[in-house]
Structure formats: structure tokens, C-alpha cells
């Protein structure tokens, strides 16, 4: 019986990549989206506006076989959840916790998962916030770190609440009137992607992100870690425990973790690849089978390729929200290419036609600079190159990697 895979997507480039992977695995793959995609057969495209009853648009196109669904995008998880429930192939017990920070925090606390202290407040009812400055505030239903900010005083708090209200109305489609307040945990941050098959972890990628000082927290730099280190094992074990608590069945979990004073804190988790997993998908690593493994896990099949042991390597991801901002970084790219023997490529990701928007109101990264070295190296070497190559970029978000 043929496997029918349904990818809910608004990213044409990733759709094209998964189309090729699915063909190699002899899966039927269909793309649920708002428009047709160049170079993909229109017969594989299911057009919908995602309004009430949108699953009927999919029903009309169902073929014989088993049906599975996935998305790589945070704000589309609720649609993937609805369709997975319809097919009877849920990825985990309850997908709704991944798109609602209030539910996620409640889930962590009820399951004894160590996480920063946090609770929701209303736009006009936050006089009783009992956390000391600095603390974090974020939208209840955010994605891509939109609206997440480190707050130092009441003036910043009032200003950011207004921005979150606008984000909810104009970008995130959240009709609620709340935001999350969360304890700020210093320390180094890590991104852990685990592949799950029948409730068991079969592969992992851990990326080191440094200590992000804020005040905003958009993803910038990643270092793909060696999977033989002790810290790697601690991070994977903690992420696996979280996945087991939320009933992960098949697919990929992505968990953001901080380590402070040797204690692990779960910041957030979700049921899609992210960080290291997506970074390897975007890079030109010929030895990477992560995305192939992922698609086989979605189809509930044992991967037919042996897992590759990953050694540490330089991979640097730099996001810019505007296509016209790229020229500012040309000199930095030349430093990476010539001084540090790095390969560099520029990817337009999601949409390059953005006008007059601020990054904090931009859902999805508009351009990504992918840099990776031609040789494996230790983390200390990466830190040195990272700092030397980018120490003169003046931007709101700062890094301290040591």
C-alpha cells in the first residue's frame, strides 16, 4: 500500500526539496498550500485558504493508501494537527501545547519539567507581576521569536505590550488579550532536534547557540555539536524525557534548552524540525540524511539508511529580514570565505519582497546566510572564528560565546 505524505507549507524551496526526497523514497507527496508551486506537478498541489472546513479540500484529493501529514512551520502546526487527527496518524498526544505558550508552561509544570517561572497576564492587568527586572515577555501564540524581549524597566514593558498587541492582531492572528511573563535565565542555549519512530528516539542533532544577551532573541548563529560529548548526551536525555512526557510518536521534536549553573531549563518545545535539523536541510552537506530520516519517521517506517555519526563543524546561520540589508554583510562574508576557509551561500527564505517592515513584525526569516567550513573543527575554533568575523557588526541583538 502506497504512502501518501501531505506537507502543509508556505515555503516553495523546502517544498521542492521534500518533493525530491519523497520521490527517492517512492512516496506520493502532496502540498497543501495557497498557491501553485513552480516545478511541482499541479496534480500534487492542494489549494486551500485554510478557512473553516478546509479539510474538505483535502478529502476530494485523497488516493488509496496510508495518509500522513507534517509541516516545518510553527504557525501551521494546528492545521497539521487537525489533518493528522482526521487521518488517525497523530504525531503526539496533544499538538495544541506547541502553539500556546500558556498551555506549554502548564504542561511543563504538571510534568515536573524544569522550566523558567512564568505566567500569563492581560494587556491591562499586569500590575501584580511579581518577577524582578530583567524578565522576558512574549506573545501567547508566537513563532520565530516574534515579540520576545528582555525587559529592564516599566517603560520597556509598556512599549512591548503595545507591540505584542499589534503582533497578535496583524501577524499572529491571535484574538486574545494576554501575554506571557517569564523569568530570565542566563546561560548558554542549545537547540535539540530528535527524530522519533514508534515513540522511540532514533536520531539526534544538537546545536550550540551561545549565550544570547538580548534584548531580542531571533535565531542567529549555530554550531553543530559533536555527538560523543557528555553535554550532548545530557541534552538529548532531557529532550527525550520531555518528548516522552508529551507522547511523541513519530516525526521530530525541537527543544530549546538553557544550561545555567549546571542546571537544565526547558525554554520551549515543539513538534517539527528546527535549529540544527533545518540548518542541515538548508546546508549543502552531502552526508546529511536527517531530512530523509525525518520523512520516513513521518511515514512510520524504519529509515533504510544507516545513521551517520556527526562530528563538530562550523555552520553559521545569519538571518536578515530584508533583502536590501544583505549588502551590509558583504565584507563579513569575504572575511569568512578568505580568512577562515568557509563556504558561503545566500538563500531567500519564504519571501524576499518585504517593504518598510521591522524585524519584530516579520513572520519568518527573509534571507539566510549559510556558512560552513570545509573541515571539521572543535568548538573553541568555531568561537574564535565567529567572534573575529562578526565582531564589528552593530546590531540590536548581541552574542557572547565563550
Amino acid at each position: 500500500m502506497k504512502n501518501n505524505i501531505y506537507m502543509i507549507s508556505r515555503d516553495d524551496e523546502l517544498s521542492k526539496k521534500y518533493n525530491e526526497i519523497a520521490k527517492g523514497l517512492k512516496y506520493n507527496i502532496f502540498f497543501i498550500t495557497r498557491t501553485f508551486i513552480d516545478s511541482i506537478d499541479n496534480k500534487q498541489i492542494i489549494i486551500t485558504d485554510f478557512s473553516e472546513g478546509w479539510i474538505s479540500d483535502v478529502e476530494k484529493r485523497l488516493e488509496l493508501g496510508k495518509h500522513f501529514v507534517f509541516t516545518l512551520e510553527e504557525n501551521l502546526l494546528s492545521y497539521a494537527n487537525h489533518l493528522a487527527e482526521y487521518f488517525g496518524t497523530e504525531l503526539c498526544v496533544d499538538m495544541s501545547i506547541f502553539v500556546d505558550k500558556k498551555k506549554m508552561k502548564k504542561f511543563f509544570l504538571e510534568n515536573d519539567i524544569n522550566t523558567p517561572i512564568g505566567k500569563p497576564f492581560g494587556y491591562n492587568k499586569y500590575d501584580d507581576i511579581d518577577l524582578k527586572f530583567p524578565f522576558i515577555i512574549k506573545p501567547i501564540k508566537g513563532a520565530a521569536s516574534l515579540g520576545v524581549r528582555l525587559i529592564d524597566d516599566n517603560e520597556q514593558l509598556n512599549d512591548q505590550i503595545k507591540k505584542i498587541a499589534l503582533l497578535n492582531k496583524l501577524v499572529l492572528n491571535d484574538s486574545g488579550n494576554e501575554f506571557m511573563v517569564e523569568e530570565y535565565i542566563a546561560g548558554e542555549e542549545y537547540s535539540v532536534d530528535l527524530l522519533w519512530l514508534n515513540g522511540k528516539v532514533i536520531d539526534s542533532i544538537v546545536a550550540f547557540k551561545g549565550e544570547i544577551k538580548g534584548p531580542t532573541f531571533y535565531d542567529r548563529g549555530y554550531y553543530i555539536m559533536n555527538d560523543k560529548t557528555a553535554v550532548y548526551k545530557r541534552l538529548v536525555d532531557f529532550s527525550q524525557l520531555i518528548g516522552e512526557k508529551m507522547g511523541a510518536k513519530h516525526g521530530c521534536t525541537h527543544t530549546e534548552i538553557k544550561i545555567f549553573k549546571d542546571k537544565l531549563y526547558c525554554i520551549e518545545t515543539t513538534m517539527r524540525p528546527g535549529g540544527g535539523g533545518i540548518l542541515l536541510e538548508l546546508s549543502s552537506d552531502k552526508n546529511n540524511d536527517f531530512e530523509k530520516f525525518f520523512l520516513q519517521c513521518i511515514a512510520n517506517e524504519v529509515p533504510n539508511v544507516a545513521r551517520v555519526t556527526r562530528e563538530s563543524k562550523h555552520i553559521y546561520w545569519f538571518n536578515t529580514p530584508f533583502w536590501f540589508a544583505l549588502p551590509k554583510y558583504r565584507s563579513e562574508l569575504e572575511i569568512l570565505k578568505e580568512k577562515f576557509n568557509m563556504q558561503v551561500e545566500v538563500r531567500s527564505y519564504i519571501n524576499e519582497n518585504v517593504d518598510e517592515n521591522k524585524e519584530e513584525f516579520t513572520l519568518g526569516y527573509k534571507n539566510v546566510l549559510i556558512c560552513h567550513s570545509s573541515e571539521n573543527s572543535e568548538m573553541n575554533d568555531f568561537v574564535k572564528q565567529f567572534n573575529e568575523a562578526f565582531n564589528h557588526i552593530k546590531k540590536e541583538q548581541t552574542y557572547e560565546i565563550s
Side-chain angles (χ1 to χ4, degrees), residues 310-335:
R310 296 184 182 89
E311 297 181 358
S312 301
K313 64 172 61 181
H314 301 255
I315 301 185
Y316 180 74
W317 158 315
F318 189 84
N319 298 299
T320 66
F322 316 121
W323 65 269
F324 49 79
L326 288 175
K328 289 196 297 185
Y329 307 112
R330 296 300 180 193
S331 60
E332 285 76 12
L333 296 180
E334 292 306 312
I335 291 173

Side-chain angles (χ1 to χ4, degrees), residues 3 91 111 140 186 197 259 289 291 312 359-360 369 378:
N3 284 327
L91 304 178
N111 286 277
I140 296 291
L197 181 68
I259 300 180
D289 285 309
E291 65 268 45
S312 301
E359 181 167 33
E360 59 197 331
L369 312 184
E378 296 299 322

